Amino acid sequence: MNFRCSRLFTAVMMSAALVMLTILNGHAQRLFDNNPKVSDDKHWDNSFGAANSPNGPVYAIFVKDSSIYIGGSFTMAGSINANSIARWDGHQWYALGEGVGGGSGPLAPTVYAITVDNNNHVFAGGNFISAGSMLASNIAMWDGSSWTSLDSGMNAEVKALAVGSAGEIYAGGLFTASGTMPLMHIAQWNGTDWTDVGGGISGSTVNSIAIKGTTVAAAGNFDYAGATTAQNIALWDGSVWSAAGSGTDSTINSITFKGNDLYSGGYFLHSGGVATNYFSKYLTGTWSAIGAGLDYPPACIGYNQTDVFALSSITGAGAYNITKYDCCWDPLGSGLDTVAYALCVNGNDVWAGGPFVQAGGKPSIHFAHWNVTKDFSAGIQEHASAKREIYLFPNPAKETLNINAGNLQQGRYRLEIFSSIGCIVHTAEVEKRSAFFTFEVDVRGLQSGVYTIRLSSEQYTAINRFIVE
């Protein structure tokens, strides 16, 4: 199974007793936590601090056997050079050759989707123009030693990838053609050529593809699949498209099959005419709500044998930016400190990626791992103070942000400021030479919004957030 997740931008304001929250750009930014579920933070891995994490946000995760592949907008994974794609084997990071390059837009080059076929060929889709030394337009294949282009590739972003029952590759996204061949937002790769899928999708994008047996489900933002009216979700049986009831009233970000149930997460408030609040289930013509829904649209969803997972909050359940459902919504400890984009669930292992910098109260930069049966509590204490070791004022800031890092150890630190979608907008090298340590950063060049600031050395990481008015 593969999960590809999109960027989210919404806005709300709220607060809660016992948990001090600031809801910024629509997502729970948890600054202090007295959540009684915090004891479950022992299930969050403490392996992905500043020295062992990707240096930019993760948008795609795919697990195959003991390999965890990540894609996103980064140039390093831990200490290795890795251009937008890397592999974690449980102990160390590996590059996939020279990775991908080029592209267009502020996040380019970026990998938004990954899947692996039965021959262990890794397919990467996104926004790029090269893979290794090959020209590759938005999609490419890694065979374990080199990159290969897939014919003419696609003329716009690839946002979803999945392997079919016969080993064929399905791709979805913003694209409308491969070379001179029209391919409207969805296409099939047979190992040699791209082929049309029932006339394609009429709309703006396919964000997610899920496959069960010979049924291919495609979801995104569209009105038609082939000649069939289909609101944002459609089913392909190998011959014809069919609608999933009356679909949803807005964009779907992510879908997944769990048994015969097809789960969807996205911007919609209704599915099949039923109030569903960003998350719903479809089964043989019937849509149904899952509890009272979610607090905001999840970028990605996934499942294991017992639970369905979503990258969203349920503040009433103490679940922040990641949650799971069996008979009710439950938190994963104290969750993530901000929004996540990528999710992959593999048995008891849950992998998440995005612009967050903490998971379960521990430094976990852009990449996090949770396992309900494992206790990762060893080493938590050495990071416990990293939550609030730097103090920012004034906050919100207009021209100058003052940073008081008096509690940090002396030494050299790398200063990084991240935008709300995880892009690095400012970097600097600073040195603390005395016990009292305050310095200024000019923020006049930053747009209004929410930012994360990180000070890191080889031994220590400190993180906080601020607002630019």
Side-chain angles (χ1 to χ4, degrees), residues 144-197:
S145 59
S146 62
W147 286 99
T148 303
S149 60
L150 274 61
D151 200 6
S152 298
M154 298 301 176
N155 67 342
E157 287 182 4
V158 173
K159 304 176 82 175
L161 291 170
V163 180
S165 59
E168 72 277 25
I169 304 298
Y170 288 88
L174 296 172
F175 58 83
T176 57
S178 174
T180 60
M181 178 187 298
L183 292 172
M184 297 299 294
H185 305 301
I186 190 167
Q188 182 191 112
W189 176 254
N190 61 17
T192 306
D193 302 298
W194 288 108
T195 59
D196 175 75
V197 181

Side-chain angles (χ1 to χ4, degrees), residues 62-268:
F62 192 93
V63 176
K64 180 66 180 294
D65 301 324
S66 60
S67 293
I68 297 90
Y69 296 92
I70 67 168
S73 184
F74 51 83
T75 58
M76 296 189 71
S79 61
I80 70 162
N81 294 320
N83 292 316
S84 300
I85 189 166
R87 180 174 70 89
W88 173 254
D89 70 353
H91 304 284
Q92 60 184 338
W93 290 103
Y94 298 87
L96 275 65
E98 297 175 4
V100 304
S104 60
L107 295 177
T110 305
V111 170
Y112 291 127
I114 299 173
T115 196
V116 182
D117 68 12
N118 294 332
N119 295 315
N120 288 320
H121 294 151
V122 180
F123 294 80
N127 179 11
F128 52 84
I129 61 174
S130 65
S133 61
M134 301 289 297
L135 289 176
S137 184
N138 300 310
I139 188 167
M141 184 190 78
W142 170 256
D143 66 5
S145 59
S146 62
W147 286 99
T148 303
S149 60
L150 274 61
D151 200 6
S152 298
M154 298 301 176
N155 67 342
E157 287 182 4
V158 173
K159 304 176 82 175
L161 291 170
V163 180
S165 59
E168 72 277 25
I169 304 298
Y170 288 88
L174 296 172
F175 58 83
T176 57
S178 174
T180 60
M181 178 187 298
L183 292 172
M184 297 299 294
H185 305 301
I186 190 167
Q188 182 191 112
W189 176 254
N190 61 17
T192 306
D193 302 298
W194 288 108
T195 59
D196 175 75
V197 181
I201 298 290
S202 297
S204 61
T205 185
V206 169
N207 290 329
S208 185
I209 298 172
I211 298 177
K212 177 179 173 56
T214 58
T215 299
V216 179
N221 187 330
F222 53 84
D223 300 315
Y224 287 89
T228 300
T229 300
Q231 293 297 318
N232 305 309
I233 186 167
L235 306 173
W236 171 251
D237 67 0
S239 300
V240 296
W241 287 103
S242 61
S246 57
T248 64
D249 61 5
S250 191
T251 303
I252 296 174
N253 293 328
S254 181
I255 55 175
T256 189
F257 280 104
K258 184 178 187 295
N260 293 320
D261 295 323
L262 179 58
Y263 288 86
S264 299
Y267 287 89
F268 54 85

Side-chain angles (χ1 to χ4, degrees), residues 151-462:
D151 200 6
S152 298
M154 298 301 176
N155 67 342
E157 287 182 4
V158 173
K159 304 176 82 175
L161 291 170
V163 180
S165 59
E168 72 277 25
I169 304 298
Y170 288 88
L174 296 172
F175 58 83
T176 57
S178 174
T180 60
M181 178 187 298
L183 292 172
M184 297 299 294
H185 305 301
I186 190 167
Q188 182 191 112
W189 176 254
N190 61 17
T192 306
D193 302 298
W194 288 108
T195 59
D196 175 75
V197 181
I201 298 290
S202 297
S204 61
T205 185
V206 169
N207 290 329
S208 185
I209 298 172
I211 298 177
K212 177 179 173 56
T214 58
T215 299
V216 179
N221 187 330
F222 53 84
D223 300 315
Y224 287 89
T228 300
T229 300
Q231 293 297 318
N232 305 309
I233 186 167
L235 306 173
W236 171 251
D237 67 0
S239 300
V240 296
W241 287 103
S242 61
S246 57
T248 64
D249 61 5
S250 191
T251 303
I252 296 174
N253 293 328
S254 181
I255 55 175
T256 189
F257 280 104
K258 184 178 187 295
N260 293 320
D261 295 323
L262 179 58
Y263 288 86
S264 299
Y267 287 89
F268 54 85
L269 297 177
H270 296 84
S271 307
V274 177
T276 51
N277 292 326
Y278 312 126
F279 193 77
S280 59
K281 180 177 72 174
Y282 177 79
L283 176 63
T284 59
T286 301
W287 287 95
S288 57
I290 306 298
L294 299 167
D295 286 1
Y296 66 82
C300 202
I301 63 176
Y303 76 94
N304 62 14
Q305 186 174 358
T306 58
D307 299 296
V308 180
F309 295 76
L311 296 178
S312 184
S313 295
I314 300 288
T315 53
Y320 299 104
N321 301 305
I322 187 168
T323 183
K324 62 186 179 73
Y325 185 93
D326 48 10
C327 61
C328 54
W329 290 108
D330 288 311
L332 277 66
S334 54
L336 305 170
D337 67 338
T338 190
V339 62
Y341 300 148
L343 176 71
C344 191
V345 184
N346 183 44
N348 290 325
D349 291 305
V350 179
W351 304 89
F356 55 81
V357 292
Q358 287 186 1
K362 310 167 192 177
S364 200
I365 316 299
H366 306 309
F367 185 62
H369 174 217
W370 185 86
N371 184 300
V372 70
T373 65
K374 293 183 180 179
D375 183 349
F376 297 104
S377 57
I380 289 177
Q381 291 302 315
E382 67 179 280
H383 300 298
S385 60
K387 287 186 179 179
R388 297 286 291 179
E389 287 291 348
I390 52 175
Y391 301 88
L392 311 177
F393 60 95
N395 192 4
K398 290 184 178 180
E399 297 183 353
T400 300
L401 179 71
N402 294 286
I403 303 171
N404 183 332
N407 291 330
L408 295 186
Q409 298 174 354
Q410 295 185 23
R412 294 191 62 82
Y413 288 85
R414 177 174 175 80
L415 167 69
E416 297 168 296
I417 297 178
F418 299 86
S419 70
S420 61
I421 61 170
C423 298
I424 297 177
V425 296
H426 178 77
T427 62
E429 298 292 329
V430 297
E431 185 172 2
K432 181 183 179 183
R433 299 179 178 177
S434 60
F436 183 78
F437 185 50
T438 299
F439 59 98
E440 296 180 350
V441 174
D442 187 345
V443 297
R444 287 175 295 182
L446 300 181
Q447 296 181 351
S448 298
V450 185
Y451 294 86
T452 298
I453 189 167
R454 178 172 74 190
L455 280 171
S456 59
S457 66
E458 291 183 0
Q459 293 81 28
Y460 199 88
T461 299

